[in-house]
Amino acid sequence: MKTKIDIVRSHYEASARGDIDAMMADVSPQVRWTEMAGFPCAGTWIGPQAVVENVFAVLGKEWIGYRFELQSLIDGGDHVVGVGTYHGIYRATAKAMQARVVHLWTLKEGQVVTFEQFTDTLLVNQAMRAERD
């Protein structure tokens, strides 16, 4: 049986490969997935399909080379913390973005039941804004 930290690590490895099915393999059907206010996909999405449609599909469509680079995983029992950096180029402005991020995962009975993102939304939004004359 995979440990909680193994489940989160597997998600990040699948993300790096662009394998959505593997990313969502250990996500509860009732997952509460929260993207931080001010982030392009802000909100709380319930269920894997809502997460795919409202987070991953949007990021894939609006950003070029959008990715999360994992620096460390912290085992906190029922919680796992992923620390890393987002990278990407916003398609509409062609501006690059790099922002530090922390993900808080809660797992129960081998499934992700909640996810919450904390990031520097100003850096993300600066890449999304067109230059003004």
Side-chain angles (χ1 to χ4, degrees):
M1 184 172 160
K2 292 195 291 190
T3 66
K4 292 171 183 166
I5 206 162
D6 289 337
I7 290 169
V8 173
R9 183 179 291 112
S10 293
H11 172 91
Y12 289 133
E13 289 169 351
S15 176
R17 295 189 309 272
D19 185 346
I20 295 286
D21 289 337
M23 288 170 63
M24 305 310 284
D26 295 310
V27 172
S28 165
Q30 294 82 33
V31 70
R32 293 185 56 83
W33 190 284
T34 302
E35 298 286 321
M36 192 167 182
F39 192 71
C41 307
T44 297
W45 310 106
I46 308 299
Q49 190 61 37
V51 174
V52 170
E53 292 172 2
N54 294 291
V55 179
F56 300 123
V58 171
L59 294 173
K61 181 177 70 171
E62 295 181 357
W63 293 83
I64 299 166
Y66 190 91
R67 71 185 194 285
F68 171 76
E69 179 183 344
L70 179 65
Q71 267 93 35
S72 62
L73 283 175
I74 301 163
D75 186 345
D78 285 342
H79 303 286
V80 175
V81 177
V83 180
T85 305
Y86 285 143
H87 301 269
I89 298 170
Y90 191 61
R91 196 174 299 280
T93 63
K95 289 182 178 177
M97 174 274 301
Q98 183 173 323
R100 295 289 287 161
V101 61
V102 171
H103 296 152
L104 176 60
W105 303 81
T106 305
L107 296 97
K108 295 209 185 302
E109 298 177 8
Q111 291 190 317
V112 175
V113 294
T114 66
F115 168 92
E116 190 170 4
Q117 169 214 59
F118 301 89
T119 192
D120 188 338
T121 59
L122 176 61
L123 294 176
V124 177
N125 280 285
Q126 285 174 339
M128 297 173 69
R129 283 193 297 233
E131 296 294 327
R132 294 207 171 121
D133 295 327

PDB file of all heavy atoms in Angstrom, residues 17-48:
ATOM      1  N   ARG A  17       4.603  14.330 -16.347  1.00  0.00           N
ATOM      2  CA  ARG A  17       4.437  13.573 -17.598  1.00  0.00           C
ATOM      3  C   ARG A  17       3.227  14.036 -18.401  1.00  0.00           C
ATOM      4  O   ARG A  17       3.021  13.605 -19.524  1.00  0.00           O
ATOM      5  CB  ARG A  17       4.233  12.080 -17.305  1.00  0.00           C
ATOM      6  CG  ARG A  17       5.377  11.363 -16.689  1.00  0.00           C
ATOM      7  CD  ARG A  17       5.138   9.848 -16.653  1.00  0.00           C
ATOM      8  NE  ARG A  17       3.863   9.432 -16.088  1.00  0.00           N
ATOM      9  CZ  ARG A  17       3.629   9.193 -14.799  1.00  0.00           C
ATOM     10  NH1 ARG A  17       4.609   9.342 -13.913  1.00  0.00           N
ATOM     11  NH2 ARG A  17       2.446   8.793 -14.388  1.00  0.00           N
ATOM     12  N   GLY A  18       2.381  14.877 -17.781  1.00  0.00           N
ATOM     13  CA  GLY A  18       1.147  15.303 -18.438  1.00  0.00           C
ATOM     14  C   GLY A  18       0.080  14.230 -18.452  1.00  0.00           C
ATOM     15  O   GLY A  18      -0.798  14.219 -19.310  1.00  0.00           O
ATOM     16  N   ASP A  19       0.104  13.322 -17.474  1.00  0.00           N
ATOM     17  CA  ASP A  19      -0.823  12.187 -17.396  1.00  0.00           C
ATOM     18  C   ASP A  19      -1.953  12.504 -16.411  1.00  0.00           C
ATOM     19  O   ASP A  19      -1.864  12.206 -15.221  1.00  0.00           O
ATOM     20  CB  ASP A  19      -0.039  10.942 -16.971  1.00  0.00           C
ATOM     21  CG  ASP A  19      -0.874   9.679 -16.970  1.00  0.00           C
ATOM     22  OD1 ASP A  19      -2.126   9.756 -17.037  1.00  0.00           O
ATOM     23  OD2 ASP A  19      -0.257   8.599 -16.875  1.00  0.00           O
ATOM     24  N   ILE A  20      -3.023  13.120 -16.929  1.00  0.00           N
ATOM     25  CA  ILE A  20      -4.147  13.549 -16.081  1.00  0.00           C
ATOM     26  C   ILE A  20      -4.786  12.370 -15.355  1.00  0.00           C
ATOM     27  O   ILE A  20      -5.105  12.470 -14.168  1.00  0.00           O
ATOM     28  CB  ILE A  20      -5.213  14.285 -16.929  1.00  0.00           C
ATOM     29  CG1 ILE A  20      -4.649  15.597 -17.488  1.00  0.00           C
ATOM     30  CG2 ILE A  20      -6.480  14.538 -16.132  1.00  0.00           C
ATOM     31  CD1 ILE A  20      -4.498  16.706 -16.496  1.00  0.00           C
ATOM     32  N   ASP A  21      -4.984  11.245 -16.043  1.00  0.00           N
ATOM     33  CA  ASP A  21      -5.620  10.091 -15.396  1.00  0.00           C
ATOM     34  C   ASP A  21      -4.817   9.634 -14.184  1.00  0.00           C
ATOM     35  O   ASP A  21      -5.386   9.373 -13.119  1.00  0.00           O
ATOM     36  CB  ASP A  21      -5.783   8.935 -16.386  1.00  0.00           C
ATOM     37  CG  ASP A  21      -6.838   9.220 -17.440  1.00  0.00           C
ATOM     38  OD1 ASP A  21      -7.728  10.063 -17.192  1.00  0.00           O
ATOM     39  OD2 ASP A  21      -6.766   8.599 -18.524  1.00  0.00           O
ATOM     40  N   ALA A  22      -3.499   9.549 -14.320  1.00  0.00           N
ATOM     41  CA  ALA A  22      -2.657   9.143 -13.194  1.00  0.00           C
ATOM     42  C   ALA A  22      -2.640  10.211 -12.102  1.00  0.00           C
ATOM     43  O   ALA A  22      -2.591   9.886 -10.916  1.00  0.00           O
ATOM     44  CB  ALA A  22      -1.239   8.847 -13.674  1.00  0.00           C
ATOM     45  N   MET A  23      -2.718  11.479 -12.496  1.00  0.00           N
ATOM     46  CA  MET A  23      -2.758  12.557 -11.504  1.00  0.00           C
ATOM     47  C   MET A  23      -3.977  12.416 -10.590  1.00  0.00           C
ATOM     48  O   MET A  23      -3.910  12.694  -9.403  1.00  0.00           O
ATOM     49  CB  MET A  23      -2.812  13.931 -12.192  1.00  0.00           C
ATOM     50  CG  MET A  23      -1.526  14.350 -12.848  1.00  0.00           C
ATOM     51  SD  MET A  23      -1.733  15.834 -13.870  1.00  0.00           S
ATOM     52  CE  MET A  23      -2.198  17.060 -12.659  1.00  0.00           C
ATOM     53  N   MET A  24      -5.089  11.994 -11.164  1.00  0.00           N
ATOM     54  CA  MET A  24      -6.348  11.940 -10.420  1.00  0.00           C
ATOM     55  C   MET A  24      -6.652  10.545  -9.866  1.00  0.00           C
ATOM     56  O   MET A  24      -7.689  10.346  -9.236  1.00  0.00           O
ATOM     57  CB  MET A  24      -7.493  12.410 -11.326  1.00  0.00           C
ATOM     58  CG  MET A  24      -7.269  13.798 -11.934  1.00  0.00           C
ATOM     59  SD  MET A  24      -6.789  15.070 -10.746  1.00  0.00           S
ATOM     60  CE  MET A  24      -8.352  15.388  -9.957  1.00  0.00           C
ATOM     61  N   ALA A  25      -5.738   9.593 -10.053  1.00  0.00           N
ATOM     62  CA  ALA A  25      -5.979   8.195  -9.665  1.00  0.00           C
ATOM     63  C   ALA A  25      -6.302   8.020  -8.188  1.00  0.00           C
ATOM     64  O   ALA A  25      -7.140   7.188  -7.837  1.00  0.00           O
ATOM     65  CB  ALA A  25      -4.780   7.331 -10.048  1.00  0.00           C
ATOM     66  N   ASP A  26      -5.665   8.782  -7.321  1.00  0.00           N
ATOM     67  CA  ASP A  26      -5.859   8.616  -5.877  1.00  0.00           C
ATOM     68  C   ASP A  26      -6.642   9.776  -5.262  1.00  0.00           C
ATOM     69  O   ASP A  26      -6.534  10.049  -4.070  1.00  0.00           O
ATOM     70  CB  ASP A  26      -4.500   8.471  -5.183  1.00  0.00           C
ATOM     71  CG  ASP A  26      -3.778   7.210  -5.616  1.00  0.00           C
ATOM     72  OD1 ASP A  26      -4.391   6.130  -5.578  1.00  0.00           O
ATOM     73  OD2 ASP A  26      -2.598   7.307  -6.018  1.00  0.00           O
ATOM     74  N   VAL A  27      -7.439  10.435  -6.088  1.00  0.00           N
ATOM     75  CA  VAL A  27      -8.245  11.573  -5.632  1.00  0.00           C
ATOM     76  C   VAL A  27      -9.664  11.087  -5.349  1.00  0.00           C
ATOM     77  O   VAL A  27     -10.274  10.409  -6.179  1.00  0.00           O
ATOM     78  CB  VAL A  27      -8.228  12.698  -6.693  1.00  0.00           C
ATOM     79  CG1 VAL A  27      -9.202  13.810  -6.334  1.00  0.00           C
ATOM     80  CG2 VAL A  27      -6.816  13.254  -6.847  1.00  0.00           C
ATOM     81  N   SER A  28     -10.170  11.435  -4.193  1.00  0.00           N
ATOM     82  CA  SER A  28     -11.520  11.028  -3.791  1.00  0.00           C
ATOM     83  C   SER A  28     -12.575  11.580  -4.755  1.00  0.00           C
ATOM     84  O   SER A  28     -12.437  12.695  -5.251  1.00  0.00           O
ATOM     85  CB  SER A  28     -11.805  11.572  -2.385  1.00  0.00           C
ATOM     86  OG  SER A  28     -13.187  11.517  -2.084  1.00  0.00           O
ATOM     87  N   PRO A  29     -13.647  10.816  -4.980  1.00  0.00           N
ATOM     88  CA  PRO A  29     -14.744  11.334  -5.806  1.00  0.00           C
ATOM     89  C   PRO A  29     -15.377  12.599  -5.224  1.00  0.00           C
ATOM     90  O   PRO A  29     -15.993  13.365  -5.947  1.00  0.00           O
ATOM     91  CB  PRO A  29     -15.767  10.191  -5.823  1.00  0.00           C
ATOM     92  CG  PRO A  29     -14.997   8.964  -5.473  1.00  0.00           C
ATOM     93  CD  PRO A  29     -13.863   9.428  -4.580  1.00  0.00           C
ATOM     94  N   GLN A  30     -15.192  12.836  -3.925  1.00  0.00           N
ATOM     95  CA  GLN A  30     -15.742  14.026  -3.270  1.00  0.00           C
ATOM     96  C   GLN A  30     -14.661  15.045  -2.895  1.00  0.00           C
ATOM     97  O   GLN A  30     -14.879  15.916  -2.060  1.00  0.00           O
ATOM     98  CB  GLN A  30     -16.511  13.638  -1.991  1.00  0.00           C
ATOM     99  CG  GLN A  30     -17.763  12.833  -2.242  1.00  0.00           C
ATOM    100  CD  GLN A  30     -17.452  11.358  -2.449  1.00  0.00           C
ATOM    101  OE1 GLN A  30     -16.526  10.808  -1.877  1.00  0.00           O
ATOM    102  NE2 GLN A  30     -18.244  10.715  -3.290  1.00  0.00           N
ATOM    103  N   VAL A  31     -13.495  14.966  -3.530  1.00  0.00           N
ATOM    104  CA  VAL A  31     -12.395  15.870  -3.180  1.00  0.00           C
ATOM    105  C   VAL A  31     -12.854  17.334  -3.200  1.00  0.00           C
ATOM    106  O   VAL A  31     -13.687  17.727  -4.023  1.00  0.00           O
ATOM    107  CB  VAL A  31     -11.189  15.679  -4.134  1.00  0.00           C
ATOM    108  CG1 VAL A  31     -11.497  16.182  -5.543  1.00  0.00           C
ATOM    109  CG2 VAL A  31      -9.941  16.353  -3.591  1.00  0.00           C
ATOM    110  N   ARG A  32     -12.331  18.112  -2.258  1.00  0.00           N
ATOM    111  CA  ARG A  32     -12.526  19.578  -2.239  1.00  0.00           C
ATOM    112  C   ARG A  32     -11.176  20.180  -2.607  1.00  0.00           C
ATOM    113  O   ARG A  32     -10.251  20.140  -1.797  1.00  0.00           O
ATOM    114  CB  ARG A  32     -12.974  20.053  -0.857  1.00  0.00           C
ATOM    115  CG  ARG A  32     -14.368  19.569  -0.487  1.00  0.00           C
ATOM    116  CD  ARG A  32     -14.834  20.145   0.842  1.00  0.00           C
ATOM    117  NE  ARG A  32     -14.795  21.593   0.882  1.00  0.00           N
ATOM    118  CZ  ARG A  32     -15.747  22.406   0.399  1.00  0.00           C
ATOM    119  NH1 ARG A  32     -16.830  21.897  -0.159  1.00  0.00           N
ATOM    120  NH2 ARG A  32     -15.634  23.712   0.486  1.00  0.00           N
ATOM    121  N   TRP A  33     -11.081  20.733  -3.792  1.00  0.00           N
ATOM    122  CA  TRP A  33      -9.820  21.221  -4.374  1.00  0.00           C
ATOM    123  C   TRP A  33      -9.896  22.737  -4.443  1.00  0.00           C
ATOM    124  O   TRP A  33     -10.710  23.286  -5.192  1.00  0.00           O
ATOM    125  CB  TRP A  33      -9.657  20.624  -5.759  1.00  0.00           C
ATOM    126  CG  TRP A  33      -8.333  20.822  -6.397  1.00  0.00           C
ATOM    127  CD1 TRP A  33      -7.844  21.967  -6.967  1.00  0.00           C
ATOM    128  CD2 TRP A  33      -7.315  19.832  -6.562  1.00  0.00           C
ATOM    129  NE1 TRP A  33      -6.598  21.748  -7.470  1.00  0.00           N
ATOM    130  CE2 TRP A  33      -6.248  20.440  -7.241  1.00  0.00           C
ATOM    131  CE3 TRP A  33      -7.222  18.490  -6.203  1.00  0.00           C
ATOM    132  CZ2 TRP A  33      -5.087  19.758  -7.577  1.00  0.00           C
ATOM    133  CZ3 TRP A  33      -6.075  17.807  -6.537  1.00  0.00           C
ATOM    134  CH2 TRP A  33      -5.019  18.431  -7.209  1.00  0.00           C
ATOM    135  N   THR A  34      -9.062  23.436  -3.673  1.00  0.00           N
ATOM    136  CA  THR A  34      -9.131  24.888  -3.600  1.00  0.00           C
ATOM    137  C   THR A  34      -7.904  25.540  -4.212  1.00  0.00           C
ATOM    138  O   THR A  34      -6.772  25.285  -3.782  1.00  0.00           O
ATOM    139  CB  THR A  34      -9.280  25.355  -2.130  1.00  0.00           C
ATOM    140  OG1 THR A  34     -10.465  24.766  -1.583  1.00  0.00           O
ATOM    141  CG2 THR A  34      -9.372  26.866  -2.046  1.00  0.00           C
ATOM    142  N   GLU A  35      -8.159  26.376  -5.212  1.00  0.00           N
ATOM    143  CA  GLU A  35      -7.143  27.221  -5.819  1.00  0.00           C
ATOM    144  C   GLU A  35      -7.318  28.605  -5.204  1.00  0.00           C
ATOM    145  O   GLU A  35      -8.429  29.119  -5.100  1.00  0.00           O
ATOM    146  CB  GLU A  35      -7.316  27.278  -7.336  1.00  0.00           C
ATOM    147  CG  GLU A  35      -7.171  25.920  -8.017  1.00  0.00           C
ATOM    148  CD  GLU A  35      -5.740  25.425  -8.096  1.00  0.00           C
ATOM    149  OE1 GLU A  35      -4.830  26.238  -8.349  1.00  0.00           O
ATOM    150  OE2 GLU A  35      -5.529  24.206  -7.920  1.00  0.00           O
ATOM    151  N   MET A  36      -6.228  29.217  -4.815  1.00  0.00           N
ATOM    152  CA  MET A  36      -6.210  30.455  -4.045  1.00  0.00           C
ATOM    153  C   MET A  36      -6.927  31.613  -4.754  1.00  0.00           C
ATOM    154  O   MET A  36      -6.821  31.772  -5.971  1.00  0.00           O
ATOM    155  CB  MET A  36      -4.750  30.837  -3.786  1.00  0.00           C
ATOM    156  CG  MET A  36      -4.557  31.919  -2.792  1.00  0.00           C
ATOM    157  SD  MET A  36      -2.798  31.946  -2.354  1.00  0.00           S
ATOM    158  CE  MET A  36      -2.846  33.236  -1.158  1.00  0.00           C
ATOM    159  N   ALA A  37      -7.623  32.432  -3.976  1.00  0.00           N
ATOM    160  CA  ALA A  37      -8.236  33.653  -4.510  1.00  0.00           C
ATOM    161  C   ALA A  37      -7.154  34.491  -5.190  1.00  0.00           C
ATOM    162  O   ALA A  37      -6.041  34.605  -4.680  1.00  0.00           O
ATOM    163  CB  ALA A  37      -8.898  34.446  -3.392  1.00  0.00           C
ATOM    164  N   GLY A  38      -7.472  35.029  -6.359  1.00  0.00           N
ATOM    165  CA  GLY A  38      -6.506  35.803  -7.120  1.00  0.00           C
ATOM    166  C   GLY A  38      -5.754  34.977  -8.146  1.00  0.00           C
ATOM    167  O   GLY A  38      -5.089  35.522  -9.023  1.00  0.00           O
ATOM    168  N   PHE A  39      -5.860  33.647  -8.059  1.00  0.00           N
ATOM    169  CA  PHE A  39      -5.221  32.753  -9.022  1.00  0.00           C
ATOM    170  C   PHE A  39      -6.181  32.582 -10.209  1.00  0.00           C
ATOM    171  O   PHE A  39      -7.396  32.695 -10.043  1.00  0.00           O
ATOM    172  CB  PHE A  39      -4.933  31.402  -8.350  1.00  0.00           C
ATOM    173  CG  PHE A  39      -4.026  30.502  -9.123  1.00  0.00           C
ATOM    174  CD1 PHE A  39      -2.675  30.797  -9.249  1.00  0.00           C
ATOM    175  CD2 PHE A  39      -4.514  29.357  -9.731  1.00  0.00           C
ATOM    176  CE1 PHE A  39      -1.830  29.960  -9.964  1.00  0.00           C
ATOM    177  CE2 PHE A  39      -3.681  28.510 -10.437  1.00  0.00           C
ATOM    178  CZ  PHE A  39      -2.334  28.825 -10.559  1.00  0.00           C
ATOM    179  N   PRO A  40      -5.678  32.316 -11.408  1.00  0.00           N
ATOM    180  CA  PRO A  40      -6.565  32.212 -12.578  1.00  0.00           C
ATOM    181  C   PRO A  40      -7.706  31.206 -12.432  1.00  0.00           C
ATOM    182  O   PRO A  40      -8.765  31.408 -12.990  1.00  0.00           O
ATOM    183  CB  PRO A  40      -5.623  31.789 -13.712  1.00  0.00           C
ATOM    184  CG  PRO A  40      -4.267  32.166 -13.268  1.00  0.00           C
ATOM    185  CD  PRO A  40      -4.274  32.154 -11.768  1.00  0.00           C
ATOM    186  N   CYS A  41      -7.503  30.142 -11.687  1.00  0.00           N
ATOM    187  CA  CYS A  41      -8.533  29.106 -11.514  1.00  0.00           C
ATOM    188  C   CYS A  41      -9.113  29.145 -10.110  1.00  0.00           C
ATOM    189  O   CYS A  41      -9.513  28.115  -9.566  1.00  0.00           O
ATOM    190  CB  CYS A  41      -7.928  27.731 -11.783  1.00  0.00           C
ATOM    191  SG  CYS A  41      -7.103  27.601 -13.359  1.00  0.00           S
ATOM    192  N   ALA A  42      -9.175  30.330  -9.517  1.00  0.00           N
ATOM    193  CA  ALA A  42      -9.601  30.475  -8.125  1.00  0.00           C
ATOM    194  C   ALA A  42     -10.958  29.839  -7.883  1.00  0.00           C
ATOM    195  O   ALA A  42     -11.850  29.908  -8.718  1.00  0.00           O
ATOM    196  CB  ALA A  42      -9.636  31.952  -7.751  1.00  0.00           C
ATOM    197  N   GLY A  43     -11.080  29.222  -6.717  1.00  0.00           N
ATOM    198  CA  GLY A  43     -12.336  28.626  -6.311  1.00  0.00           C
ATOM    199  C   GLY A  43     -12.106  27.286  -5.668  1.00  0.00           C
ATOM    200  O   GLY A  43     -10.980  26.798  -5.596  1.00  0.00           O
ATOM    201  N   THR A  44     -13.191  26.707  -5.190  1.00  0.00           N
ATOM    202  CA  THR A  44     -13.145  25.358  -4.642  1.00  0.00           C
ATOM    203  C   THR A  44     -13.963  24.473  -5.561  1.00  0.00           C
ATOM    204  O   THR A  44     -15.139  24.735  -5.816  1.00  0.00           O
ATOM    205  CB  THR A  44     -13.693  25.313  -3.206  1.00  0.00           C
ATOM    206  OG1 THR A  44     -12.854  26.123  -2.375  1.00  0.00           O
ATOM    207  CG2 THR A  44     -13.717  23.888  -2.656  1.00  0.00           C
ATOM    208  N   TRP A  45     -13.321  23.456  -6.056  1.00  0.00           N
ATOM    209  CA  TRP A  45     -13.924  22.538  -7.027  1.00  0.00           C
ATOM    210  C   TRP A  45     -14.162  21.203  -6.333  1.00  0.00           C
ATOM    211  O   TRP A  45     -13.289  20.703  -5.628  1.00  0.00           O
ATOM    212  CB  TRP A  45     -13.010  22.393  -8.249  1.00  0.00           C
ATOM    213  CG  TRP A  45     -12.597  23.737  -8.765  1.00  0.00           C
ATOM    214  CD1 TRP A  45     -11.372  24.344  -8.636  1.00  0.00           C
ATOM    215  CD2 TRP A  45     -13.424  24.688  -9.433  1.00  0.00           C
ATOM    216  NE1 TRP A  45     -11.397  25.598  -9.193  1.00  0.00           N
ATOM    217  CE2 TRP A  45     -12.643  25.842  -9.691  1.00  0.00           C
ATOM    218  CE3 TRP A  45     -14.759  24.682  -9.841  1.00  0.00           C
ATOM    219  CZ2 TRP A  45     -13.146  26.968 -10.343  1.00  0.00           C
ATOM    220  CZ3 TRP A  45     -15.262  25.804 -10.486  1.00  0.00           C
ATOM    221  CH2 TRP A  45     -14.461  26.925 -10.733  1.00  0.00           C
ATOM    222  N   ILE A  46     -15.338  20.632  -6.533  1.00  0.00           N
ATOM    223  CA  ILE A  46     -15.723  19.383  -5.881  1.00  0.00           C
ATOM    224  C   ILE A  46     -15.720  18.263  -6.917  1.00  0.00           C
ATOM    225  O   ILE A  46     -16.417  18.333  -7.924  1.00  0.00           O
ATOM    226  CB  ILE A  46     -17.127  19.484  -5.247  1.00  0.00           C
ATOM    227  CG1 ILE A  46     -17.247  20.714  -4.339  1.00  0.00           C
ATOM    228  CG2 ILE A  46     -17.472  18.189  -4.496  1.00  0.00           C
ATOM    229  CD1 ILE A  46     -16.305  20.753  -3.172  1.00  0.00           C
ATOM    230  N   GLY A  47     -14.916  17.236  -6.652  1.00  0.00           N
ATOM    231  CA  GLY A  47     -14.842  16.071  -7.526  1.00  0.00           C
ATOM    232  C   GLY A  47     -13.742  16.192  -8.571  1.00  0.00           C
ATOM    233  O   GLY A  47     -13.422  17.288  -9.018  1.00  0.00           O
ATOM    234  N   PRO A  48     -13.162  15.056  -8.946  1.00  0.00           N
ATOM    235  CA  PRO A  48     -12.051  15.047  -9.902  1.00  0.00           C
ATOM    236  C   PRO A  48     -12.380  15.690 -11.252  1.00  0.00           C
ATOM    237  O   PRO A  48     -11.559  16.403 -11.815  1.00  0.00           O
ATOM    238  CB  PRO A  48     -11.717  13.564 -10.069  1.00  0.00           C
ATOM    239  CG  PRO A  48     -12.253  12.907  -8.850  1.00  0.00           C
ATOM    240  CD  PRO A  48     -13.442  13.715  -8.427  1.00  0.00           C
TER     241      PRO A  48
END
